[in-house]
Amino acid sequence: MSESSNRPPLSLSPGQWSFTRWSTIGQLEALKVHHPLFKAVICLQGAHLTQFTPQDEKGWLWLSNAARFESERAIRGGIPVCWPWFGDPKRNAPEVRKRILSDKAHGFARTALWKLEDVRENAHEVEISLSLDATEDFSDQWSGHAIALITFNFSVRGCQIALTTTNLSPDPLAFSQALHSYFPTSDITRTRILGLGNSDYIDTLDHWQYRNQEGAVYFDGETDRIYESGEPLTIVTPGGSRRLRTVGSDSTVVWNPGAEKAARLSDFPNLAWKNMLCVETANAGGDYRVLSEGQSHTLGVLIGRM
């Protein structure tokens, strides 16, 4: 998915970084990237990307103005990492569910402390990699044994994220996951998603019934759907368009809380639903993945211009 493989970045130690700096946001340790062509912020808790802003543009991600950067608390907005399960544990396939020992939604990765592996920089891009070793530290929540490696690649042309899971257990590992991407819009009622026409989807708000999408996806109140599609998508808002291209995904989650649910959500202003939407690159529903010992799977998305 790399857009600039002909310009390999340089691997540098912290003292040599040109554009990346350690920072503290609230209670959380973060990496702030101030490149001449773009800015980005990643919190080590959750390997959570909270900002990507190309030069002279508005931010490409939505972040709640009520978000709290606190230890063991999920951040509302940006791109949370849902891993090694997505959504309600009870709604996962039996193979995934049997390893989950918690009733919490979306797994433990989004509040876990990830380890910095590498920072690579050059005049055109910055690449940052973090890892999470899911072993005995999470044995009270999950019975798997795996390592997750996430790599962020930033350039003026877009933001690329790749989440690779490797099974370290001798037993097969079933898991679900998502890159829970929040996007901004000036008006949700004038926003649409192209590329999901004719796709089947699960409507979680209607007893998890299957439906078929006719044409573009529009928003009229609360929306929570798992589409059986990993095709390229276009998000069209009054302010412009974004293109999403994925790898390792045959499911896409589309979400907006609407007015009533927004009022019940934590760290979410009551009217914020009007100015955001989630389009999540996923392995969810029937698209969960199973790895044999030593096998890996990469879930990725490239968010770019049209």
Side-chain angles (χ1 to χ4, degrees), residues 199-249:
S199 298
D200 292 330
Y201 67 88
I202 299 171
D203 190 341
T204 71
L205 302 178
D206 187 15
H207 307 288
W208 289 68
Q209 296 295 310
Y210 270 90
R211 300 283 184 262
N212 184 264
Q213 180 66 41
E214 297 182 3
V217 178
Y218 289 87
F219 295 86
D220 181 18
E222 184 179 357
T223 303
D224 192 353
R225 302 172 182 174
I226 303 173
Y227 284 86
E228 295 183 340
S229 174
E231 294 300 310
L233 303 177
T234 302
I235 302 171
V236 181
T237 74
S241 301
R242 292 283 172 262
R243 184 76 162 165
L244 275 61
R245 292 191 286 126
T246 68
V247 296
S249 169

Side-chain angles (χ1 to χ4, degrees), residues 46-47 81 114 128-131 148-152 161-164 179:
V81 176
W114 291 58
I128 297 175
S129 299
L130 301 97
S131 66
L149 177 71
I150 190 166
T151 299
F152 301 88
I161 307 169
L163 175 62
T164 299
L179 299 170

Side-chain angles (χ1 to χ4, degrees), residues 67 120 123 143-144 151 158 282 295:
R120 294 170 175 259
S143 66
T151 299
Q295 279 191 322

Side-chain angles (χ1 to χ4, degrees), residues 113-301:
L113 186 61
W114 291 58
K115 175 187 175 184
L116 177 63
E117 292 290 344
D118 199 10
V119 175
R120 294 170 175 259
E121 303 181 331
N122 65 29
H124 306 279
E125 63 184 9
V126 172
E127 185 175 278
I128 297 175
S129 299
L130 301 97
S131 66
L132 180 65
D133 190 349
T135 53
E136 62 276 0
D137 289 346
F138 304 97
S139 60
D140 61 332
Q141 302 181 63
W142 190 59
S143 66
H145 186 190
I147 189 167
L149 177 71
I150 190 166
T151 299
F152 301 88
N153 184 281
F154 308 113
S155 72
V156 71
R157 288 168 290 182
C159 169
Q160 175 182 312
I161 307 169
L163 175 62
T164 299
T165 301
T166 302
N167 180 19
L168 303 179
S169 168
D171 302 317
L173 175 70
F175 65 102
S176 58
Q177 58 182 342
L179 299 170
H180 196 308
S181 308
Y182 287 76
F183 296 97
T185 176
S186 60
D187 185 350
I188 190 64
T189 66
R190 298 168 57 205
T191 296
R192 64 189 187 276
I193 303 170
L194 308 178
L196 292 171
N198 297 319
S199 298
D200 292 330
Y201 67 88
I202 299 171
D203 190 341
T204 71
L205 302 178
D206 187 15
H207 307 288
W208 289 68
Q209 296 295 310
Y210 270 90
R211 300 283 184 262
N212 184 264
Q213 180 66 41
E214 297 182 3
V217 178
Y218 289 87
F219 295 86
D220 181 18
E222 184 179 357
T223 303
D224 192 353
R225 302 172 182 174
I226 303 173
Y227 284 86
E228 295 183 340
S229 174
E231 294 300 310
L233 303 177
T234 302
I235 302 171
V236 181
T237 74
S241 301
R242 292 283 172 262
R243 184 76 162 165
L244 275 61
R245 292 191 286 126
T246 68
V247 296
S249 169
D250 291 313
S251 54
T252 299
V253 179
V254 176
W255 181 74
N256 179 281
E260 291 185 12
K261 186 167 185 177
R264 303 192 302 269
L265 290 174
S266 61
D267 308 338
F268 198 101
N270 288 350
L271 298 180
W273 64 274
K274 296 182 177 183
N275 301 119
M276 55 70 63
L277 68 155
C278 286
V279 182
E280 309 169 36
T281 303
N283 295 132
D287 184 35
Y288 69 94
R289 299 302 166 108
V290 181
L291 299 176
S292 300
E293 181 181 9
Q295 279 191 322
S296 298
H297 169 70
T298 297
L299 174 73
V301 61

Side-chain angles (χ1 to χ4, degrees), residues 10-19 118-122:
L10 301 173
S11 182
L12 302 172
S13 62
Q16 298 174 304
W17 295 342
S18 299
F19 311 116
D118 199 10
V119 175
R120 294 170 175 259
E121 303 181 331
N122 65 29

